């Protein structure tokens, strides 16, 4: 039986894309775990964070052009559309692993080098920040694939299918695996320092439209900054609870600002003082330094915790989604590099930026329209 790649290479695109797979339709209770792949915008950005993440950093083989990239996006989009809906990928050797997608989302993006293949879109690398100690092995790649799901079987299977289909077209440079604490009551999940992380974020469609989704040539796309940040938990643990809360500017128990309020969603008041005139939220604390003068979210933070199994180090795979990284993310990161009490216990060791493609409607694949390729 020909593989998809041999079909594609032979140029027989049309029939292969619609070949039916022999799979059982989703049972009604499983259908709740399906997040549609096709749409104006890619899933996995505005989607509330699933439990597990795998982020793949991939380089295209040298000399690849728009058509090679298009071919890869076609293959991947077909895989993603099937797997996210609970159907096996074409020529799936383990179709049983695809039955419950468990909210699987697959989100594709391209690095600065490949944005040159798309007219009207530029993406600059981030400037150097004084606190960075970046390691080459977590650096910029041509492509990123963000896979998220609530079940590791579904996630791992999708990861494997995409990597299999990439053979000959791309080279895997790094894999970043992470986990997120899901809660039932709408509160943010905790990071490995024990803090509620994600309180100040865009909440509704209007805020996402204003802060996350791009316009113009990249309409319905967005931009992603990935920062791999190691946490020095051994020295962090030496601080007492008060000092840890002081460092962030919020309570550990419920994330409420140290200026008062009943929970993590209360607005921090950076001007509030105690009876001696000392600021309740220290001006050098993480919240004071990262907060906007406008008192609201500045971009979407969709972070995942990590533990590196090879050496036991841990931290945060910090992911910021914004319609304009230079205008929204960079100034905050600059401020934090200049001063942030948290810097003593954290260290950025990886950094990359990507343009996240707009979505593709049913029957189309991600990236085709932007690359100017025929259907
Ligand atoms: C390991 C590193 C980091 C940790 C542990 C951390 C932790 C936190 C925590 C606990 C909060 C308060 C609750 C919340 O609003 O989510 C917070 C807020 C925030 N952080 Fe971080 N953060 C880290 C890195 C960063 C980086 C690299 C940036 C951006 C460059 C950033 C930007 C922000 C922003 C914008 C807020 C919201 C501030 C506000 O408007 O009140 N954080 N962070």
């Amino acid at each position: 039986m020909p593989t998809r790649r041999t079909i594609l290479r032979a140029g027989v695109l049309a029939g292969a894309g619609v070949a039916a797979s022999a799979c059982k339709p989703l049972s009604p209770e499983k259908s709740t775990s399906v997040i549609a792949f096709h749409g104006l915008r890619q899933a996995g950005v505005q989607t509330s964070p699933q439990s597990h993440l795998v982020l793949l950093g991939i380089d295209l083989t040298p000399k690849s052009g728009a058509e090679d990239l298009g071919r890869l996006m076609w293959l991947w989009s077909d895989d993603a559309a099937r797997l996210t809906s609970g159907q096996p990928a074409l020529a799936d050797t383990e179709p049983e692993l695809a039955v419950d997608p468990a909210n699987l989302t697959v989100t594709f993006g391209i690095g600065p080098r490949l944005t040159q293949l798309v007219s009207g879109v530029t993406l600059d690398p981030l400037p150097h920040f004084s606190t960075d100690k970046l390691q080459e092995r977590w650096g910029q790649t041509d492509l990123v694939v963000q896979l998220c799901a609530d079940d590791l079987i579904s996630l791992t299977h999708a990861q494997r299918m995409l990597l299999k289909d990439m053979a000959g077209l791309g080279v895997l440079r790094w894999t970043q695996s992470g986990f997120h604490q899901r809660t039932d009551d709408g509160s943010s999940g905790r990071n490995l320092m024990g803090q509620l992380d994600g309180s100040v974020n865009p909440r509704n469609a209007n805020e996402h439209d204003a802060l996350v989704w791009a316009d113009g040539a990249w309409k319905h796309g967005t931009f992603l900054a990935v920062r791999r940040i190691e946490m020095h938990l051994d020295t962090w643990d030496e601080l007492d609870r008060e000092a840890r809360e002081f460092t962030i500017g919020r309570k550990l128990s419920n994330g409420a600002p140290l200026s008062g309020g009943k929970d993590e969603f209360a607005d921090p008041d950076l001007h509030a003082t105690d009876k001696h005139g000392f600021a309740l939220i220290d001006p050098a604390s993480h919240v004071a330094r990262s907060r906007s003068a406008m008192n609201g979210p500045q971009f979407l933070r969709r972070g995942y915790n990590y533990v590196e199994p090879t050496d036991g180090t841990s931290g945060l795979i910090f992911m910021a989604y914004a319609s304009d990284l230079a205008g929204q993310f960079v100034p905050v990161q600059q401020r934090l590099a200049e001063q942030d009490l948290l810097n003593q216990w954290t260290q950025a060791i990886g950094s990359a930026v990507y343009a996240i493609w707009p979505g593709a409607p049913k029957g189309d694949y991600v990236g085709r329209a932007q690359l100017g390729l025929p259907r």
Side-chain angles (χ1 to χ4, degrees):
M1 197 181 112
T3 64
R4 252 181 315 181
R5 191 158 305 105
T6 49
I7 294 169
L8 268 177
R9 295 244 156 92
V12 190
L13 277 167
V18 292
S21 61
C23 82
K24 252 177 50 188
L26 290 176
S27 58
E29 74 269 18
K30 298 282 188 203
S31 66
T32 56
S33 62
V34 170
I35 298 176
F37 172 72
H38 290 289
L40 266 187
R41 295 159 171 178
Q42 288 196 75
V45 178
Q46 201 161 330
T47 310
S48 105
Q50 302 93 318
S51 306
H52 306 284
L53 159 83
V54 172
L55 200 65
L56 304 172
I58 290 161
D59 279 342
L60 270 195
T61 48
K63 298 204 191 114
S64 308
E67 292 206 348
D68 305 287
L69 176 57
R71 194 173 302 147
L72 180 59
M73 294 313 304
W74 185 87
L75 284 163
W76 274 351
S77 297
D78 182 61
D79 284 338
R82 290 168 192 273
L83 292 166
T84 54
S85 67
Q87 299 180 35
L90 218 63
D92 199 326
T93 40
E94 287 85 25
E96 290 79 9
L97 300 186
V99 172
D100 180 9
N103 289 320
L104 174 70
T105 55
V106 185
T107 316
F108 300 110
I110 50 175
R113 193 175 78 87
L114 294 186
T115 55
Q116 293 164 15
L117 300 175
V118 182
S119 70
V121 179
T122 51
L123 173 63
D124 294 324
L126 296 179
H128 170 76
F129 301 105
S130 57
T131 43
D132 285 358
K133 278 199 189 147
L134 302 182
Q135 300 173 9
E136 185 72 26
R137 62 178 175 140
W138 304 117
Q140 185 67 56
T141 56
D142 286 339
L143 295 152
V144 73
V145 183
Q146 178 198 264
L147 296 125
C148 295
D150 286 321
D151 180 82
L152 277 174
I153 282 283
S154 140
L155 186 71
T156 311
H157 180 58
Q159 172 185 1
R160 180 147 183 273
M161 292 313 298
L162 292 174
L163 288 177
K164 258 179 153 178
D165 278 341
M166 182 183 80
L169 293 168
V171 179
L172 179 67
R173 291 287 175 221
W174 47 249
T175 303
Q176 303 199 40
S177 301
F179 48 96
H180 173 88
Q181 185 183 36
R182 297 204 75 165
T183 59
D184 291 334
D185 59 357
S187 61
S188 304
R190 290 188 187 269
N191 62 34
L192 295 176
M193 289 179 148
Q195 304 136 358
L196 293 177
D197 197 342
S199 318
V200 178
N201 246 342
R203 297 276 155 207
N204 52 40
N206 283 348
E207 286 183 335
H208 278 95
D209 286 352
L211 296 170
V212 178
W213 298 109
D215 220 325
W218 209 240
K219 192 171 168 67
H220 300 307
T222 178
F223 298 91
L224 165 67
V226 182
R227 308 273 293 164
R228 189 175 179 88
I229 306 177
E230 200 169 287
M231 291 174 169
H232 302 151
L233 291 180
D234 290 346
T235 49
W236 175 253
D237 290 347
E238 288 165 7
L239 296 182
D240 63 18
R241 205 173 170 83
E242 206 182 334
R244 285 187 248 167
E245 293 182 334
F246 183 84
T247 302
I248 290 290
R250 287 177 177 270
K251 285 191 186 166
L252 280 164
S253 57
N254 63 358
L258 294 183
S259 53
K262 71 172 174 31
D263 61 22
E264 60 174 312
F265 302 113
D267 272 342
D269 178 354
L270 301 183
H271 304 291
T273 52
D274 65 13
K275 58 180 188 242
H276 307 294
F278 289 113
L280 290 171
I281 298 178
D282 190 86
S285 67
H286 182 67
V287 161
R289 294 296 296 165
S290 59
R291 202 162 168 75
S292 136
M294 308 294 288
N295 278 332
Q298 300 159 88
F299 41 77
L300 171 65
R301 288 177 292 133
R302 201 175 185 278
Y304 279 81
N305 305 302
Y306 76 81
V307 174
E308 178 60 41
T310 53
D311 59 10
T313 55
S314 53
L316 186 67
I317 303 166
F318 178 93
M319 290 191 281
Y321 285 92
S323 54
D324 172 16
L325 289 176
Q328 296 166 247
F329 169 78
V330 171
V332 179
Q333 180 59 82
Q334 205 94 53
R335 281 205 303 277
L336 295 182
E338 278 160 22
Q339 188 184 37
D340 175 5
L341 291 177
L342 193 60
N343 288 343
Q344 203 176 322
W345 298 278
T346 57
Q347 179 64 65
I349 58 166
S351 184
V353 289
Y354 300 96
I356 302 297
W357 299 104
K362 268 210 167 101
D364 205 347
Y365 62 92
V366 168
R368 186 198 59 77
Q370 293 73 28
L371 288 167
L373 296 171
R375 262 176 213 272

